[in-house]
Amino acid sequence: MMRSWVLRGTHGIRGAIRVPGDKSISHRSLLLGALAEGSTEVRGFLRSEDCLATLAALRALGVEITESADGRIVIRGQGPEGLHEPEVALQAGNSGTTLRLLAGLLAARPFFSILTGDSSLRCRPMRRVVDPLTAMGATLLGRAGGQYPPLAIQGRQLSGIAWTSPVASAQVKSAILLAGIQATGETSVTEPAPSRDHTERMLAAFGVAVRRQGSTVSVIGPARLRASSVAVPGDLSSAAFFLAAAAADPGGEVRILDVGVNPTRAGALEVLEAMGATITQARARTEASEPLADLSVHGARLRGTRIGAELTARLIDEIPALAVAGALAEGETVISGAAELRVKEVDRLSALAGELSKLGAQVAEERDGLRIAGGRRLRGAVVSSRGDHRMAMALAVAALFADGETRVQDVACVETSFPGFAQLLVEVAPECAIRELEDAD
Ligand code: S3P
């Protein structure tokens, strides 16, 4: 049964909230904890479907992981040799990070494994990891010549490579680095623009020497990882929905505590400021190698802006929220260099243009971006997430600014990254009266 949200347009978005832990960092804490020797304790772990898929896969590989009542996770790593051939196919669900990063990790283990996922993930491109891992010496097979999952992996002793990736992708970079730390010799990855660097930061915290030069990262294998403790900050990509909502509401004011502000992720803050919102950071600090802060946003009448290729890697997951801000701004917002959005959980360029138009926004889909004529009054409508969590949340934010009632269909997917989103939305916008219904209701 499909689930929907029904909510009303409202004014006065305000409050102080905390968002759940960072998804990228949560995945990596499990994977590096599993490769390390000793107990790794993780605080602030994101218990969402995506991260739980990584956790279950590691358990199927023989890793002991315990969860305590206060939400702490402990991974009892026994080094890479502690992983064993799984009897079952490993299920990544909707999670590209789970599938691609595990592919890198497993390419270097001397056994057979199968990685698969849901119908969305089974249509996402995998040659971007299959090709470099094959060049390192592993055997990987997948549908359509290795392009789509399921992937079948026969791992073996790998050799380091120097790989130039045609896409700026932290999943590709991380898959190669996870293979590289288990390979013989130096492995380096060069990207067209630097993608999020959580893997590099966490590897260093686990005692691995990571060299960085411009957009090239290298490690020397085989490297042993020392167990560490990880403090996961709030997810800026989750915070982005509340930042965009408050930014677009003149008089709106929201504070979000303990959010990760890693510069390779923080492009959306610059964009919302360029559009006219005021964003300030307080209590800036670093925990477990990741910067975090309390973010405050004051809303304004926003102005349209340009988001070009030089920015997209640093805000790739925030484009749905920023497209909504663009639709609410005066003037034109042009997003370009964002063709990667076509291979996310859904084709987000097509989904944003199609669904925001149903609310009365004027959004034209271009080859690698969107052209949004802002300032149109939005009106409530029936829209669909198309099964994409960030689409669902972006559409809920748009609905706050629409006249009347909006129904966002197919919202169960929000559990992949942001359990509790609707409850937090009520906290900052009580009059939206969001409620969850079965689609038949
Ligand atoms: C992620 C990297 C990004 C991002 C995804 C999480 C990660 O994907 O969109 O939500 O944790 O490494 P790409 O690496 O495909 O750009």
Side-chain angles (χ1 to χ4, degrees), residues 298-320:
H298 290 257
R301 196 81 206 112
L302 297 182
R303 302 179 292 273
T305 190
R306 281 178 184 271
I307 303 174
E310 68 294 345
L311 256 179
T312 44
R314 297 201 298 123
L315 47 68
I316 193 72
D317 290 341
E318 287 65 76
I319 288 177

Side-chain angles (χ1 to χ4, degrees), residues 88-376:
V88 292
L90 304 175
Q91 280 293 343
N94 193 241
S95 174
T97 308
T98 304
L99 200 145
R100 294 197 181 107
L101 269 57
L102 271 175
L105 188 154
L106 292 172
R109 302 313 323 136
F111 54 70
F112 175 76
S113 52
I114 293 177
L115 290 167
T116 190
D118 69 7
S119 57
S120 155
L121 187 52
R122 293 196 306 272
C123 296
R124 296 182 64 186
M126 294 300 149
R127 286 285 299 273
R128 50 180 65 192
V129 292
V130 166
D131 289 348
L133 297 172
T134 304
M136 294 175 84
T139 303
L140 289 92
L141 297 171
R143 293 190 304 118
Q147 184 62 298
Y148 301 119
L151 293 186
I153 303 175
Q154 177 57 56
R156 55 176 61 90
Q157 180 57 53
L158 305 180
S159 313
I161 45 160
W163 190 259
T164 300
S165 170
V167 284
S169 161
Q171 293 179 1
V172 171
K173 174 178 62 181
S174 302
I176 298 170
L177 292 177
L178 288 174
I181 54 174
Q182 303 177 73
T184 316
E186 179 168 357
T187 292
S188 69
V189 189
T190 302
E191 306 183 89
S195 62
R196 64 189 66 192
D197 66 357
H198 305 300
T199 301
E200 297 89 304
R201 286 172 184 258
M202 203 181 288
L203 278 174
F206 277 70
V208 177
V210 179
R211 227 184 60 216
R212 307 203 223 188
Q213 233 173 4
S215 50
T216 299
V217 182
S218 40
V219 291
I220 294 177
R224 303 300 294 183
L225 274 62
R226 270 195 321 266
S228 185
S229 49
V230 181
V232 183
D235 197 324
L236 183 59
S237 298
S238 298
F241 298 102
F242 296 95
L243 295 172
D249 179 19
E253 192 182 337
V254 165
R255 210 147 64 87
I256 312 179
L257 308 175
D258 305 325
V259 186
V261 289
N262 181 317
T264 60
R265 292 279 297 279
L269 303 180
E270 289 158 40
V271 168
L272 290 172
E273 287 197 292
M275 295 177 85
T278 307
I279 299 181
T280 52
Q281 298 192 16
R283 292 203 310 131
R285 60 212 189 272
T286 299
E287 276 180 34
S289 308
E290 288 284 349
L292 69 159
D294 296 347
L295 296 178
S296 294
V297 55
H298 290 257
R301 196 81 206 112
L302 297 182
R303 302 179 292 273
T305 190
R306 281 178 184 271
I307 303 174
E310 68 294 345
L311 256 179
T312 44
R314 297 201 298 123
L315 47 68
I316 193 72
D317 290 341
E318 287 65 76
I319 288 177
L322 294 173
V324 171
L328 299 167
E330 286 301 330
E332 194 176 58
T333 292
V334 182
I335 301 170
S336 58
E340 271 293 300
L341 288 196
R342 295 208 181 274
V343 293
K344 293 295 178 188
E345 287 78 335
V346 294
D347 176 342
R348 287 187 178 151
L349 295 180
S350 154
L352 283 166
E355 301 301 322
L356 290 176
S357 299
K358 292 180 188 166
L359 292 166
Q362 205 177 317
V363 184
E365 181 183 346
E366 304 198 319
R367 188 185 50 81
D368 66 348
L370 296 171
R371 186 173 293 269
I372 305 167
R376 301 278 186 287

Side-chain angles (χ1 to χ4, degrees), residues 6-11 396 399-400 404-406 422 425-435:
V6 175
L7 69 165
R8 287 200 297 264
T10 173
H11 284 293
L400 297 179
E405 203 168 75
T406 295
L425 197 66
V426 185
E427 267 187 47
V428 299
E431 281 159 28
C432 79
I434 187 168
R435 57 191 200 282

